[in-house]
Amino acid sequence: MNSNANESDAISSPPLAKFLISDYLVRRTNPSYVHFWVDDFLPATFDSELRSEYPTDLMISRLKNRLSVNLNFHDGSSETRAFLESSPAWQRYYEAFTSQAWLEATIRTFRREFVRRYPLALRPLLAARVLNSSNLEVTVALSFSKRGFLLAPHSDDKFKLLTLIHYLPVQSGAELTGGTGFFLPREGCSLTDIRQFSEWSRGLRKFLFFYPLAPAIDSSLTRRYEEGEIPNPAERARFEALFERGDYVEYRANRMAGFVKNNWTFHEVDLSDFPEGEFRRAALVNIRLRPTRWAGLIPTLERQMSRIKQMMRRSR
């Protein structure tokens, strides 16, 4: 076989090892949560293939009047299937991250942090569940946003274990805007303080007091997905009294940023000053814990209570 063909095949299909997050690359100095970034994450030619085959036209058509849109590889849509069939590079990317081998290797790298997401009292009961790959799933999506989008400080949803953000700008240079900003809790900030930004401040949950034992909670400030949406400045002021800015990971080609989800993993993407007419392009890879049937108990009760309230209002 032609040696040039072998070289081309190697470039188009890098070995699985190239997709692994090595333990020595992960910063563990942050006392609140692990976050990291890796430069030159993939072979340069493969990264260039991914960026050149990024479906910009498709994403623009889905964007419509919104400031941001995602394309989930597992959504089963005809558009997604057609895109993956047309792009060998992205097909390989998807297969690598959703392989059992990648999942098992990543569990080994982050097993300590996965267990620490739980309160100390619950770890003996729940640690085995979170380290069992059959209880986990990997999702891959493309993210596409433009100037004005604000993914305000948020800690991600409670079923996420690990989030990876792969930046895919058109050009290979670094941008001072479009990256990911991380926040750190100020001294004295407690779980009770951040409850106000979470699901535990709404519905039935605001009357429950066992939230410190919840395996994980998701919190978020008001976001801006469409033109004209205005974030709440009072809410932001309350947040900034509790959190300070930490690392800012610049939007740079072939850079992978990531973090292990816990209650403190607040981060932000602010495109208020992003270049006009350009788009922030990224891939999102998440390891998620599959929900148990008990996970929907409180939401189900809240929906039933809401229906009862509506019926009572109509009967008046």
Side-chain angles (χ1 to χ4, degrees), residues 22-273:
S22 300
D23 185 74
Y24 74 89
L25 292 173
V26 178
R27 297 179 55 191
R28 286 182 165 83
T29 56
N30 182 338
S32 301
Y33 58 91
V34 167
H35 70 290
F36 55 91
W37 56 95
V38 181
D39 286 325
D40 302 319
F41 177 66
L42 293 173
T45 307
F46 186 68
D47 176 75
S48 179
E49 280 187 70
L50 292 172
R51 288 189 288 117
S52 67
E53 295 180 18
Y54 188 98
T56 298
D57 291 341
L58 171 60
M59 300 301 272
I60 290 175
S61 71
R62 295 169 69 105
L63 197 61
K64 298 185 169 106
N65 295 324
R66 292 172 63 83
L67 298 173
S68 182
V69 68
N70 286 356
L71 178 69
N72 298 310
F73 284 11
H74 58 286
D75 68 3
S77 71
S78 57
E79 285 181 322
T80 303
R81 291 197 305 271
F83 163 63
L84 288 175
E85 289 170 1
S86 70
S87 174
W90 280 107
Q91 181 68 45
R92 171 60 178 152
Y93 188 92
Y94 180 53
E95 290 173 351
F97 278 118
T98 54
S99 70
Q100 186 67 20
W102 185 85
L103 178 57
E104 295 284 358
T106 306
I107 292 172
R108 289 194 294 271
T109 297
F110 295 104
R111 60 181 293 116
R112 181 173 53 183
E113 286 76 25
F114 286 179
V115 170
R116 286 180 177 175
R117 76 188 251 111
Y118 297 120
L120 187 60
L122 296 180
R123 289 175 194 171
L125 297 174
L126 300 177
R129 168 170 160 73
V130 80
L131 297 177
N132 185 340
S133 63
S134 64
N135 296 324
L136 310 180
E137 63 179 346
V138 179
T139 62
V140 181
L142 297 182
S143 170
F144 190 75
S145 311
K146 66 179 184 179
R147 182 184 178 93
F149 174 59
L150 174 63
L151 190 56
H154 62 291
S155 63
D156 273 8
D157 80 67
K158 60 190 176 186
F159 294 111
K160 287 187 182 179
L161 294 179
L162 175 74
T163 291
L164 302 176
I165 310 153
H166 188 183
Y167 303 127
L168 297 155
V170 174
Q171 303 298 325
S172 59
E175 294 285 353
L176 297 180
T177 181
T180 305
F182 290 94
F183 294 85
L184 300 175
R186 298 183 187 275
E187 185 176 355
C189 178
S190 69
L191 191 59
T192 300
D193 293 321
I194 66 173
R195 183 185 186 186
Q196 63 183 297
F197 307 116
S198 77
E199 59 191 359
W200 289 88
S201 68
R202 301 182 290 273
L204 176 63
R205 271 168 279 219
K206 68 182 178 181
F207 301 108
L208 302 177
F209 296 96
F210 55 81
Y211 62 92
L213 290 178
I217 64 174
D218 42 354
S219 307
S220 178
L221 276 65
T222 307
R223 306 174 184 186
R224 184 169 59 229
Y225 284 112
E226 297 182 4
E227 297 284 358
E229 292 183 334
I230 302 174
N232 186 332
E235 178 188 59
R236 183 69 184 227
R238 293 196 304 272
F239 174 79
E240 292 183 348
L242 298 170
F243 284 80
E244 61 184 347
R245 290 187 179 275
D247 289 313
Y248 180 80
V249 184
E250 292 180 344
Y251 178 63
R252 183 192 297 268
N254 211 4
R255 170 174 281 177
M256 176 73 83
F259 61 91
V260 178
K261 154 74 182 176
N262 67 19
N263 293 330
W264 308 100
T265 49
F266 281 90
H267 56 288
E268 175 183 52
V269 177
D270 186 354
L271 300 190
S272 299
D273 298 320

Side-chain angles (χ1 to χ4, degrees), residues 8-24:
S8 176
D9 289 345
I11 290 173
S12 298
S13 300
L16 179 63
K18 294 292 185 181
F19 292 86
L20 301 180
I21 307 294
S22 300
D23 185 74
Y24 74 89

